[in-house]
Amino acid sequence: MQKNTLPREITIIAAVAENNAIGRNGKLIYRLPNDMRRFRALTTGHTVIMGRRTFESLPKGALPDRRNIVLSRTATFPGCEVFDSLKEALRHCAENEKIFIIGGAEVYRAALPLAAKMSLTLVHDTPEADTFFPDFSDDWEEISREDFPADDKHAKPYSFVEFMRKRH
């Protein structure tokens, strides 16, 4: 289905440390059970777009009950549609399709100007990392926040924070 208009509802979803860290040595820094449950609840039944390395880091391959799109110029991935750019992938999405950008850093950077929402898990920590979420400007407004303390399954305190792009 070739469309000429970009979809309206693009949401970036990520777990991000206070220093914008998201990964180290090809792996997520955090495995937070509540964040994983939230991720599943938000993305199930919708489209997820990711880079090749993000797909390769998934423990069981394509995410179930979602349309999986991987950005790659060379490879194919079982259970996924593959496009060579974010722009091309978005052209193959319906205007009313709910799309989640799930990483990595380059895909987040490319999607940031196109997204209307961000659903971030902000982890109150500053770990060592080699992969970082892009800085985002004053174009974003925090619309909700839920704070959680560290506990036996979550080593660091964290917050679920929703952002909307400001209308100018």
Side-chain angles (χ1 to χ4, degrees):
M1 121 184 82
Q2 185 75 18
K3 294 280 183 185
N4 292 326
T5 58
L6 293 178
R8 288 186 212 122
E9 191 168 342
I10 299 172
T11 301
I12 291 172
I13 188 166
V16 182
E18 290 175 346
N19 61 349
N20 284 4
I22 57 173
R24 183 170 180 178
N25 299 326
K27 296 190 182 329
L28 291 175
I29 290 180
Y30 302 105
R31 291 265 179 214
L32 307 167
N34 289 345
D35 174 59
M36 295 298 185
R37 270 193 289 285
R38 177 175 179 249
F39 176 88
R40 191 177 319 109
L42 290 172
T43 63
T44 295
H46 303 296
T47 298
V48 292
I49 297 178
M50 68 197 94
R52 174 188 55 82
R53 288 185 296 245
T54 297
F55 176 82
E56 290 171 346
S57 75
L58 297 174
K60 298 178 184 172
L63 297 170
D65 305 318
R66 283 156 269 209
R67 179 182 181 196
N68 286 251
I69 296 177
V70 178
L71 305 180
S72 175
R73 290 182 188 87
T74 56
T76 60
F77 303 93
C80 300
E81 297 171 62
V82 178
F83 297 99
D84 64 1
S85 70
L86 178 60
K87 193 172 187 176
E88 188 63 25
L90 293 173
R91 280 195 187 109
H92 287 82
C93 294
E95 232 179 279
N96 62 350
E97 199 165 342
K98 194 168 186 178
I99 296 165
F100 289 88
I101 306 298
I102 67 168
E106 289 178 39
V107 181
Y108 287 138
R109 204 170 340 284
L112 202 55
L114 306 173
K117 297 178 184 177
M118 286 194 292
S119 293
L120 302 183
T121 298
L122 299 179
V123 183
H124 305 292
D125 186 26
T126 53
E128 288 189 30
D130 56 22
T131 308
F132 296 88
F133 192 81
D135 287 326
F136 53 98
S137 68
D138 294 335
D139 289 344
W140 295 90
E141 174 180 18
E142 183 177 316
I143 58 168
S144 71
R145 174 184 290 258
E146 289 180 83
D147 297 316
F148 301 91
D151 61 30
D152 59 336
K153 293 185 180 180
H154 302 84
K156 304 290 180 182
Y158 60 97
S159 303
F160 292 156
V161 185
E162 298 290 323
F163 293 90
M164 292 285 287
R165 182 174 299 283
K166 290 181 183 175
R167 299 185 199 276
H168 293 286

